[in-house]
Amino acid sequence: MTATASFTTCPDAADFPATPPAPDTLMYSLTLPAAAVSAAIARAAARVVLDTHGLRALTDPALQVVSELTTAACRFTASDEVYLSLRYRDNALRVILYDGHPRHTHPRLAAACDARRRSALRLLACVVRACDGDWGFGDAREPGGGTRMWAVLPHAGATAYGARP
């Protein structure tokens, strides 16, 4: 009986493509501490992601949206962390933040809390509107609950926004 050994080698740099990833492959998630510094971390990560995927033209409005959503999530959550998701689909950047603040069951409390959240996101609303995008918030459907906040920045609108003097 003879023993045969098979060996595999670890991939080296030549095994990876030299071309940058396409915009449609942009899909990143990041769990951040619910702390004031998280907005800066989220902006830095988003800047690198957009640049890597050839979406530098979206940087200005995208970083504003990421910052506003992250700040609001950290402000409203009762948990120790928030969750950021960046996706590029159908020629639009989708930014989603999940926080642990449960939706209120009492109608007046829910209305007051929603008003506070909308007020905290006034600047986000202006940026998204200027980009011809959409935004909102509601129940997080994921296990653990909480609140899901999101913004969609269409490529054309966000590029035009970023090109303004």
Side-chain angles (χ1 to χ4, degrees):
M1 181 188 261
T2 60
T4 59
S6 70
F7 295 97
T8 60
T9 61
C10 293
D12 63 14
D15 294 332
F16 294 101
T19 59
D24 288 338
T25 63
L26 188 156
M27 54 182 128
Y28 295 87
S29 299
L30 186 61
T31 302
L32 299 161
V37 70
S38 291
I41 295 168
R43 283 191 308 271
R47 181 184 302 278
V48 169
V49 165
L50 292 169
D51 188 42
T52 300
H53 286 269
L55 295 168
R56 187 174 291 160
L58 304 175
T59 300
D60 287 344
L63 295 186
Q64 189 67 53
V65 164
V66 166
S67 187
E68 295 297 318
L69 288 175
T70 304
T71 300
C74 290
R75 179 177 171 201
F76 282 94
T77 192
S79 66
D80 294 335
E81 57 190 32
V82 297
Y83 178 80
L84 167 66
S85 172
L86 299 170
R87 303 282 186 266
Y88 189 82
R89 298 287 178 272
D90 302 322
N91 289 317
L93 179 68
R94 301 166 192 284
V95 181
I96 303 171
L97 257 293
Y98 295 91
D99 67 57
H101 182 71
R103 303 287 292 156
H104 298 282
T105 55
H106 190 279
R108 273 192 266 164
L109 284 176
C113 190
D114 287 354
R116 283 185 63 222
R117 199 176 284 261
R118 266 191 299 284
S119 177
L121 296 170
R122 281 189 313 257
L123 180 56
L124 170 117
C126 293
V127 171
V128 171
R129 188 174 30 251
C131 294
D132 296 322
D134 196 15
W135 72 280
F137 58 88
D139 291 331
R141 292 174 228 126
E142 286 68 27
T147 301
R148 172 183 179 261
M149 297 181 291
W150 52 270
V152 177
L153 298 174
H155 190 279
T159 301
Y161 177 92
R164 292 180 186 157

